[in-house]
Amino acid sequence: MRIAMIGTGYVGLVSGVCFSDFGHDVVCVDKDAAKIARLQAGEVPIYEPGLEDLMARNVAAGRLSFTDDLAAAVAEAEAVFIAVGTPTRRGDGHADLTYVMAASEEIAAALQGYTVVVTKSTVPLGTNRQVKQVIAKSNPAADFDVASNPEFLREGAAIDDFMRPDRVVVGVQNDRAAEVMAEIYRPLYLRDFPILTTDLESAEMIKYAANAFLATKITFMNEIAGLCERVGSDVKEVARGIGLDGRIGNKFLHAGPGYGGSCFPKDTAALARIGQDHAYPMQITETVMRVNQEVKARMLEKLRDACDGSFNGKTIAVLGVTFKPNTDDMREAPSLTIVPALIGGGAKVRVVDPQGEAEGRDLLPGVKWEDDPYKAARNADLVVLLTEWNEFRALDLKALARKMAQPRMVDLRNIYTAKAAKRAGFETYIGVGR
Ligand SMILES: NC(=O)c1ccc[n+]([C@@H]2O[C@H](COP(=O)([O-])OP(=O)(O)OC[C@H]3O[C@@H](n4cnc5c(N)ncnc54)[C@H](O)[C@@H]3O)[C@@H](O)[C@H]2O)c1
């Protein structure tokens, strides 16, 4: 298949590279000319494990290329994927469809021969029909169908998720488009990964329902963690105890500083908005959003407690600022609320993150970037473990404590235990829900 991938961000780039690895001919398009120039030079603009090698292999095989010439890429393609951003629209929580609609107009003008226009971006109910109308209106002669193909990959494990998905969801309006989509995903079908073919509206809803459900699961556990702290239970034991129940499952039960990232905050907001627009408030999702804010606020209280009630004059080392490990993505990361609050309270903040500096430099003004946790902890009053990078999972706690002016730790990912921290010389150890 000849595929054009419009949008070369976290989703578009991974999808384009993986489709080329399936054996398809893929042209990745972005309107950001600087990004395309880097890609053409063999440089991957994001941090995603394994992506650089896979990209180089498929470029070398002649199946993968990059351009900012959308029209040329679309004219050649049998399937055009839209993988542009759908951030939260300012003011009302709705998904901003400006980029999707602009891309649709551009695609319309360039279509040649029968083409399936596939939305991979996460979009509200009815958007695929809207894309169809926009294309049909601006190019009445175009021979095309639309398809919805929401993406479920996780940053940090994106290639494995794409190559070995729990499922692929495809929404279509007719067999002709279904056949093109089946051909694109044939390598997965042959390996027995489930491919769910459904209608457009169900495919659109599956994506929002999945993300809202996962955000609910995490938030539920974060709320249980708060209660654990008051009654003396250990949320890690509780998570294990309930996770062994097959109906609950053991994933997404780790208590932490509240969900963030490029998807859950905006997708829960968009689902809540869709509910309001249809006079059917999504009460659970709205509550989850509110509780998540409270969870974040509770984390700051923990930090303040560890600093005897005030950040003023304290030196604080923050380990990890990306929204999760194995990505450089900072969108809605907990660090973006926590670090400014520390600085605003009068603390000096040192930050260590294996990949976060390039993205984080402008987002976290006033911090000192360090490349080593022990250096960051020198004469510090508090260490905060914020993102569970592997680099922070096996710290020499004794060496860390010895460097500090006051050996205190707040571990917002529950990597260590109070017992181990105390044994290593920490006078204070505060986790989440224990
Ligand atoms: N990031 C994730 O983990 C993830 C997972 C599943 C689904 N999604 C969804 O996928 C979509 C894309 O997310 P992302 O994180 O990859 O976004 P991103 O912001 O990283 O990338 C979007 C890219 O699209 C480009 N673009 C915008 N308009 C364009 C146009 N008209 N022509 C060419 N290029 C254009 C931008 O320059 C940018 O490079 C969103 O709807 C998101 O909700 C994201």
Side-chain angles (χ1 to χ4, degrees):
M1 297 292 293
R2 290 188 309 274
I3 294 174
M5 183 67 62
I6 314 301
T8 317
Y10 286 85
V11 164
L13 184 56
V14 170
S15 307
V17 168
C18 290
F19 279 148
S20 69
D21 205 59
F22 287 176
H24 303 308
D25 284 322
V26 180
V27 183
C28 290
V29 181
D30 208 287
K31 62 177 184 183
D32 180 342
K35 196 180 260 189
I36 290 298
R38 289 176 70 183
L39 287 162
Q40 285 170 338
E43 204 185 309
V44 179
I46 55 170
Y47 177 73
E48 180 61 46
L51 187 56
E52 196 166 338
D53 284 353
L54 199 64
M55 188 175 111
R57 230 174 36 228
N58 285 287
V59 169
R63 291 188 292 260
L64 177 64
S65 61
F66 305 95
T67 183
D68 57 3
D69 185 350
L70 182 144
V74 168
E76 293 289 317
E78 292 156 279
V80 178
F81 283 77
I82 301 176
V84 301
T86 48
T88 300
R89 191 162 74 190
R90 242 171 222 272
D92 65 1
H94 208 282
D96 184 347
L97 294 177
T98 312
Y99 303 110
V100 172
M101 293 309 157
S104 305
E105 297 259 3
E106 287 180 68
I107 292 165
L111 286 173
Q112 279 182 27
Y114 177 70
T115 313
V116 180
V117 179
V118 191
T119 307
K120 206 168 229 333
S121 301
T122 303
V123 292
L125 277 287
T127 304
N128 277 276
R129 280 179 196 272
Q130 222 179 313
V131 167
K132 188 174 177 179
Q133 277 170 7
V134 165
I135 296 176
K137 194 167 164 217
S138 88
N139 181 356
D143 181 14
F144 76 104
D145 280 305
V146 293
S148 165
N149 176 217
E151 183 50 56
F152 299 94
L153 62 78
R154 294 163 302 166
E155 289 174 19
I159 291 172
D160 200 50
D161 283 351
F162 200 94
M163 297 292 204
R164 308 167 46 78
D166 289 340
R167 77 316 206 173
V168 172
V169 173
V170 173
V172 284
Q173 291 182 306
N174 58 39
D175 289 347
R176 196 177 180 194
E179 279 163 25
V180 170
M181 295 305 289
E183 186 57 30
I184 291 172
Y185 281 107
R186 206 157 67 95
L188 295 182
Y189 178 76
L190 293 174
R191 283 154 61 212
D192 281 339
F193 291 106
I195 301 191
L196 175 83
T197 305
T198 182
D199 57 277
L200 295 177
E201 285 72 20
S202 301
E204 290 168 340
M205 182 61 95
I206 286 168
K207 177 64 194 175
Y208 280 112
N211 271 2
F213 189 89
L214 292 171
T216 302
K217 198 172 177 186
I218 296 181
T219 307
F220 177 81
M221 222 44 216
N222 285 337
E223 191 174 50
I224 290 285
L227 189 57
C228 283
E229 288 170 7
R230 279 156 187 78
V231 299
S233 319
D234 181 337
V235 76
K236 271 193 126 168
E237 296 294 308
V238 177
R240 197 168 138 70
I242 67 170
L244 287 167
D245 185 327
R247 293 166 302 177
I248 296 174
N250 59 7
K251 305 251 172 70
F252 262 70
L253 292 179
H254 298 289
Y259 65 76
S262 60
C263 291
F264 289 172
K266 80 175 176 63
D267 292 349
T268 47
L271 184 63
R273 186 70 224 182
I274 294 166
Q276 285 160 11
D277 288 350
H278 289 80
Y280 190 81
M282 300 305 291
Q283 300 179 65
I284 294 175
T285 303
E286 289 183 7
T287 303
V288 164
M289 291 161 63
R290 186 168 48 73
V291 173
N292 193 52
Q293 290 306 329
E294 288 168 14
V295 169
K296 287 186 182 176
R298 210 171 69 222
M299 297 303 121
L300 270 177
E301 287 315 307
K302 278 179 190 295
L303 298 182
R304 205 168 279 123
D305 287 349
C307 288
D308 302 324
S310 168
F311 300 133
N312 200 20
K314 302 286 189 326
T315 299
I316 301 177
V318 175
L319 308 188
V321 290
T322 53
F323 90 90
K324 65 170 167 179
N326 294 323
T327 181
D328 57 351
D329 200 340
M330 293 283 297
R331 287 177 281 187
E332 301 277 335
S335 63
L336 296 178
T337 45
I338 288 177
V339 170
L342 301 179
I343 293 177
K348 276 198 201 111
V349 178
R350 301 176 188 151
V351 163
V352 188
D353 191 287
Q355 294 292 337
E357 185 170 352
E359 279 293 307
R361 216 177 290 127
D362 292 342
L363 296 170
L364 297 174
V367 307
K368 184 166 191 309
W369 291 87
E370 298 277 6
D371 51 13
D372 172 79
Y374 303 96
K375 236 162 87 186
R378 199 179 293 149
N379 292 321
D381 302 292
L382 178 68
V383 164
V384 183
L385 218 155
L386 197 46
T387 311
E388 68 279 34
W389 284 91
N390 273 342
E391 285 83 342
F392 306 142
R393 283 181 183 276
L395 293 171
D396 179 345
L397 293 185
K398 244 188 198 159
L400 198 68
R402 234 184 282 128
K403 298 258 187 247
M404 300 180 67
Q406 301 194 77
R408 298 178 178 192
M409 180 189 285
V410 176
D411 174 5
L412 297 181
R413 300 293 178 173
N414 286 341
I415 290 173
Y416 299 102
T417 60
K419 214 164 143 189
K422 293 265 161 74
R423 211 184 306 126
F426 278 90
E427 64 185 48
T428 304
Y429 170 89
I430 300 175
V432 178
R434 4 185 26 195

